[in-house]
Amino acid sequence: MIGPQHAVRAAGSSAGGAHFAFTDRWGGVSAVPYEELNLGGAVGDDPAAVRTNRARAARSLGLDPARVVWMNQVHGRDVAVVDGPWGDAPADVPAVDAVVTSRRGLPLAVLTADCTPVLLADPAAGVVAAAHAGRPGLVAGVVPAAVEAMIALGAEPSGITAYTGPAVCGRCYEVPEQMRAEVAAAVPASWSETSWGTPAVDVTAGVHAQLDELGVVDRHSSPFCTLESGDHFSYRRDRTTGRLAGYVWLD
Ligand SMILES: [Zn+2]
């Protein structure tokens, strides 16, 4: 284990009592190839290092690490409604790709390394959600499912603020031609081309189109492409690597 080289840097924003934050890879204790702030528990890293990293990241945001709600992400569209942290056993964490809560002060977290992390909040209604949208989740509609779950708890699309975090961009995410066609058939806005002229998918653009269609107009996007940024983990670039996290919570 190496010592900390940096402080945790989480790019954060607040709106009406809702808080949104995305980590980068610095400020943790994990060794190569997970250096430094790997927050993923299922990627082969030392579990003690991940625990330390999760505690550091939470405290840097003013959060109690024991209260953070994580997911067992499986590239599906299932949503869990939560009102407190899961139990400590891995089996206690449900296999879902979105979590929603109307509990104030309960932080929800999503792990990514190229997939698009999506944070949603309707502070007036007191409802927040975190979702994991890779290419399969985009096609399956996990983000619309999360918005529907928020609406069921009293949220209004016009009251929702949405943030998408660091993810592989549409100029880098190369896929076979047929895959691009299949994804674009489901979500036309995801059609893209790499900077070298081959078929690509823009998951973040697709997520924003899905949100727009639902009437979520207050949307913000991270400027970072994980594959191009040395400050972020990228599965497509490095294969064995760490996971970034996005956090959303209400005062
Ligand atoms: Zn890129």
Side-chain angles (χ1 to χ4, degrees):
M1 196 178 289
I2 58 173
Q5 305 295 305
H6 305 85
V8 171
R9 312 187 304 194
S13 303
S14 299
H19 302 275
F20 311 84
F22 295 102
T23 60
D24 66 18
R25 71 184 296 164
W26 306 121
V29 299
S30 291
V32 174
Y34 307 102
E35 80 281 19
E36 297 172 349
L37 191 72
N38 167 43
L39 297 165
V43 294
D45 193 5
D46 173 5
V50 176
R51 275 196 299 277
T52 300
N53 291 342
R54 287 184 172 190
R56 280 190 186 193
R59 292 200 182 100
S60 80
L61 298 169
L63 300 171
D64 175 356
R67 296 278 298 163
V68 176
V69 176
W70 302 93
M71 295 178 265
N72 174 16
Q73 300 168 189
V74 294
H75 290 286
R77 62 158 284 154
D78 288 345
V79 183
V81 176
V82 294
D83 58 10
W86 313 118
D88 286 334
D92 292 340
V93 181
V96 296
D97 290 89
V99 278
V100 179
T101 191
S102 56
R103 182 62 61 93
R104 292 187 178 275
L106 183 68
L108 309 180
V110 50
L111 293 166
T112 57
D114 291 341
C115 290
T116 302
V118 186
L119 306 178
L120 305 164
D122 180 341
V127 183
V128 297
H132 163 248
R135 178 176 45 76
L138 173 70
V139 172
V142 66
V143 174
V147 171
E148 295 299 332
M150 291 179 73
I151 292 170
L153 291 175
E156 299 274 358
S158 61
I160 295 176
T161 296
Y163 279 82
T164 55
V168 63
C169 82
R171 305 288 282 169
C172 288
Y173 187 10
E174 184 177 50
V175 297
E177 175 85 58
Q178 190 188 335
M179 183 178 286
R180 175 173 69 177
E182 286 166 5
V183 178
V187 188
S190 69
W191 192 98
S192 190
E193 198 170 77
T194 61
S195 56
W196 55 98
T198 58
V201 167
D202 190 332
V203 173
T204 296
V207 165
H208 279 266
Q210 289 177 325
L211 288 168
D212 194 56
E213 202 162 300
L214 289 164
V216 178
V217 294
D218 181 22
R219 303 191 310 270
H220 311 267
S221 200
S222 167
F224 295 109
C225 167
T226 45
L227 192 140
E228 295 174 75
S229 167
D231 292 328
H232 295 81
F233 297 118
S234 170
Y235 174 76
R236 282 178 78 87
R237 182 184 61 220
D238 299 326
R239 294 296 160 179
T240 301
T241 191
R243 293 294 179 272
L244 309 162
Y247 301 81
V248 62
W249 70 100
L250 292 168
D251 283 335

